[in-house]
Amino acid sequence: MDFKDTIKAIGERIARLKDSIQTEEATKTALILPFLNALGYDVFDPHEVSPEFISDIGTKKGEKVDYAIMRDGHPIMLIECKHHNQSLTLHDNQLLRYFHVTKARFGILTNGVIYRFYTDLIEPNKMDQKPFLEINLTEMKDAQVEELKKFHKSYFDVESILTNASELKYMGQLKPLILQEMNDPSDALVRYIAKQVYPGLLHAKMFDYFKALIKKGFQQIISDQITDRLKSALTKEEMLETPAAATANASNEPVVEAKKDPTIVTTAEELEGFYIVRAILREGFDGERIVHRDAQSYFAILLDDNNRKPICRLYMNGQKKSIAFLDEARKEVKYEIKSLNDIYNYQEQLKKSLEMMLAESKKKE
């Protein structure tokens, strides 16, 4: 299992266990230690992961930070833990006090679900009040996985992380502001943009007109970019289409609709569902053989990128969400799901469906 799948499995574990965890100690044992282990550190070796790390600070003696990741006898990361239901705050926190008296360049504040990574970008040897990276392990994005990988024992390099930390920090703060402007343009932005194209007096009526126009403009720009990418993907798909796929489309068996409509948009929720299915089926199986194709009415997850081998279909675009399988007569059977987490309730059906598709492949061979 590669790092990406390992971290996604940790996220799935958190979603499954967190509601039954009652204490901070249980949070450490059930959620945080498995995460540190996934980063390549031996949680049972105090030379690598030192629990209850002590570093006397002036007149304060015996204060402890929950964990210190060690290298060559010195801490490189300090970790402060909270119960998973607790809010994460640095107020009167040991991380702030320990940071400037140890050789650690990174502080991590976590409740086992959310991890906030800190360093000293603003003032040397004084930990910033705001994190340069924040990750929710139950809502991981691919780009965040790559950033997290830099903290793995095998890849950990202080200078490499610090080089990118500033951009991560400010981009993390800029993106919500940009999104806010796109959804509800501020007065200052409306006036600035309107002045570039409208020479007249920007009275109240014209101000409201331009505000609505700018918001619509943002939406159209995003729509155009998505359409362009889909057209590019469709062109590549048509070039790679095989005679076998054409034969499949001519048969009476259920097939995945070709992605010929540029209005088809693959959502983040559909992709997350795909990753959950692939994570469930990866044990003892090459996950790269499991792929997805989107269609107008459903999102298909296939074996070997073959539309005659559907493992399942996800219906995520309507008010009711569902997961569907083909029975032995190749008729579709749907099951309603309330959220993506419900996919885990169908692990046996997924494995049975995969086995059925593999068995059919062997027969044809």
Side-chain angles (χ1 to χ4, degrees):
M1 187 180 292
D2 62 19
F3 180 73
K4 180 178 178 180
D5 290 324
T6 299
I7 291 300
K8 287 189 178 294
I10 293 289
E12 294 159 9
R13 172 190 174 88
I14 291 169
R16 188 172 67 252
L17 297 180
K18 68 176 184 177
D19 290 339
S20 62
I21 295 174
Q22 304 299 321
T23 66
E24 183 178 303
E25 286 303 314
T27 299
K28 294 178 186 178
T29 302
L31 305 185
I32 297 171
L33 288 180
F35 171 74
L36 297 181
N37 186 63
L39 289 181
Y41 298 102
D42 185 350
V43 297
F44 301 108
D45 183 352
H47 295 101
E48 286 195 13
V49 180
S50 177
E52 300 293 312
F53 181 73
I54 298 175
S55 180
D56 292 338
I57 307 168
T59 59
K60 292 181 177 290
K61 304 293 183 182
E63 282 199 287
K64 303 173 183 177
V65 68
D66 290 300
Y67 297 104
I69 303 298
M70 310 293 289
R71 176 175 287 182
D72 300 327
H74 299 287
I76 56 174
M77 286 187 281
L78 303 176
I79 304 169
E80 182 69 14
C81 307
K82 304 287 186 184
H83 183 271
H84 73 88
N85 279 332
Q86 274 188 283
S87 61
L88 298 178
T89 173
L90 283 175
H91 177 66
D92 194 32
N93 192 282
Q94 284 96 321
L95 280 180
L96 287 170
R97 297 196 293 272
Y98 275 28
F99 192 85
H100 74 282
V101 296
T102 70
K103 293 186 177 182
R105 295 300 306 275
F106 303 104
I108 301 174
L109 182 61
T110 181
N111 58 10
V113 181
I114 297 171
Y115 285 77
R116 292 179 178 171
F117 294 77
Y118 298 83
T119 190
D120 55 349
L121 294 174
I122 296 176
E123 191 174 337
N125 299 319
K126 183 178 180 181
M127 197 173 79
D128 300 338
Q129 290 285 340
K130 292 184 178 181
F132 67 88
L133 178 64
E134 179 172 323
I135 291 176
N136 184 328
L137 290 182
T138 63
E139 300 173 2
M140 288 289 290
K141 299 177 175 61
D142 287 349
Q144 291 178 323
V145 173
E146 291 306 310
E147 293 302 329
L148 190 58
K149 190 174 182 179
K150 295 174 183 176
F151 290 89
H152 192 281
K153 179 182 175 182
S154 302
Y155 307 104
F156 186 83
D157 179 77
V158 172
E159 295 307 318
S160 174
I161 298 173
L162 290 176
T163 299
N164 200 37
S166 180
E167 180 179 332
L168 282 173
K169 177 181 178 179
Y170 294 117
M171 185 59 73
Q173 295 176 41
L174 282 171
K175 284 170 69 175
L177 295 175
I178 294 170
L179 183 61
Q180 175 63 32
E181 292 286 6
M182 292 171 65
N183 293 330
D184 184 22
S186 64
D187 292 357
L189 182 66
V190 172
R191 291 192 179 92
Y192 174 76
I193 295 179
K195 284 181 180 179
Q196 313 302 312
V197 297
Y198 181 68
L201 180 65
L202 201 64
H203 50 72
K205 185 176 180 180
M206 288 302 297
F207 180 89
D208 291 341
Y209 171 75
F210 272 105
K211 183 170 185 175
L213 206 60
I214 291 168
K215 181 177 179 179
K216 187 176 181 180
F218 279 130
Q219 294 170 344
Q220 287 187 357
I221 289 170
I222 294 171
S223 178
D224 290 345
Q225 289 179 332
I226 292 172
T227 300
D228 288 344
R229 290 183 181 181
L230 284 172
K231 285 180 178 178
S232 176
L234 283 170
T235 301
K236 291 179 181 178
E237 186 174 315
E238 288 170 0
M239 292 173 65
L240 295 172
E241 188 175 21
T242 63
T247 302
N249 288 334
S251 72
N252 293 323
E253 296 185 17
V255 298
V256 176
E257 300 165 23
K259 216 182 204 184
K260 295 181 179 179
D261 187 347
T263 62
I264 297 173
V265 177
T266 300
T267 66
E269 188 176 39
E270 288 170 332
L271 287 174
E272 188 174 350
F274 165 69
Y275 287 123
I276 290 174
V277 170
R278 190 161 73 169
I280 290 171
L281 298 176
R282 280 189 77 104
E283 186 176 353
F285 184 75
D286 181 7
E288 298 304 317
R289 294 178 64 186
I290 301 172
V291 301
H292 63 78
R293 286 194 204 175
D294 208 349
Q296 187 70 53
S297 56
Y298 56 79
F299 180 83
I301 300 177
L302 311 170
L303 173 65
D304 295 333
D305 201 11
N306 188 328
N307 57 10
R308 298 183 68 185
K309 301 177 183 178
I311 296 171
C312 70
R313 293 170 179 168
L314 300 179
Y315 292 82
M316 309 299 291
N317 296 326
Q319 289 185 344
K320 289 187 176 181
K321 305 180 191 301
S322 59
I323 184 171
F325 303 91
L326 297 185
D327 62 16
E328 293 181 356
R330 297 192 74 81
K331 291 184 178 179
E332 188 178 70
V333 181
K334 282 187 179 180
Y335 301 91
E336 185 176 349
I337 57 176
K338 299 296 183 184
S339 70
L340 290 173
N341 286 335
D342 288 348
I343 294 175
Y344 293 105
N345 298 330
Y346 298 93
Q347 294 188 44
E348 292 305 316
Q349 288 95 324
L350 285 166
K351 292 175 182 178
K352 183 178 178 181
S353 180
L354 176 61
E355 289 171 1
M356 185 168 70
M357 296 305 150
L358 288 170
E360 288 187 5
S361 296
K362 289 182 179 179
K363 285 181 183 178
K364 291 175 182 177
E365 291 173 1

